[in-house]
Amino acid sequence: MGEESFADYILGEKDWGKKLEIMYYLKKRTGIFYDNSVIFKTLLTKLFLDYLHESYPKFEIDDNRVITARLLCDCQKIENSTNLDEIQGYAKRGAEYLKKLGFDDNFCRICEGVNRYTIKDDRPPESDILELADQFGGMLLDRPERIGFKPDEALVLLEHRNLKDKNNRLLKPFVKFVNYMQTVEA
């Protein structure tokens, strides 16, 4: 029997909490980018997937692959970089790195599609989910240059600036999800 790849190992783990632990140790061993923003965006992704399955029962997607992709798509990101080449190339570099860890071409393409710097058209629907969680989640978080936006402000920016004239197939369900989440009592 062949040796199990890292891709087989993490995709084989269905418990997303245990995936977080795997990521923690991967960061310690390799130095990949993995911080609280990744965890936050992954939780946002998981909540959105739960909402999609409840509100759109015919929606079919492999949650395990999407959660794993959300955890790994930033693996080559450089924290607080102002270098445009680094910012525009991290997802492609990450996809190439993930290929070396045993992930298939489709999974790597999903991860590379987290932003639109290298894959602009014919994006997998899973990339649309990653894009929404990445952009919206990023706007909610404080950054060195600004405080985080309130959800309603971030939603307006997402719809009318960041994704204006972009074909994100899940934008409308995501807007409904965010609006729904704001009505849920803590």
Side-chain angles (χ1 to χ4, degrees), residues 163-181:
L163 295 179
K164 183 181 178 180
D165 302 324
K166 304 283 191 290
N167 181 24
N168 186 305
R169 293 159 284 203
L170 294 167
L171 178 59
K172 287 181 182 175
F174 189 80
V175 169
K176 289 179 182 178
F177 158 72
V178 171
N179 288 328
Y180 168 76
M181 291 302 288

Side-chain angles (χ1 to χ4, degrees), residues 14 28 30 80 84 105 128 153 160 162 174 179 184:
K14 303 298 184 198
K28 282 199 145 319
T30 66
N80 297 324
L84 192 56
D105 290 337
D128 286 349
E153 297 168 335
H160 302 288
N162 295 20
F174 189 80
N179 288 328
V184 177

Side-chain angles (χ1 to χ4, degrees), residues 44-82:
L44 184 60
T45 301
K46 184 176 182 332
L47 291 171
F48 180 51
L49 288 168
D50 291 346
Y51 173 83
L52 282 174
H53 293 305
E54 187 175 308
S55 300
Y56 302 87
K58 293 185 180 186
F59 180 78
E60 291 185 31
I61 201 151
D62 185 342
D63 290 16
N64 183 47
R65 282 177 70 87
V66 175
I67 295 293
T68 305
R70 181 54 255 167
L71 285 168
L72 289 162
C73 67
D74 293 337
C75 67
Q76 295 298 302
K77 191 174 190 177
I78 297 170
E79 192 170 5
N80 297 324
S81 178
T82 56

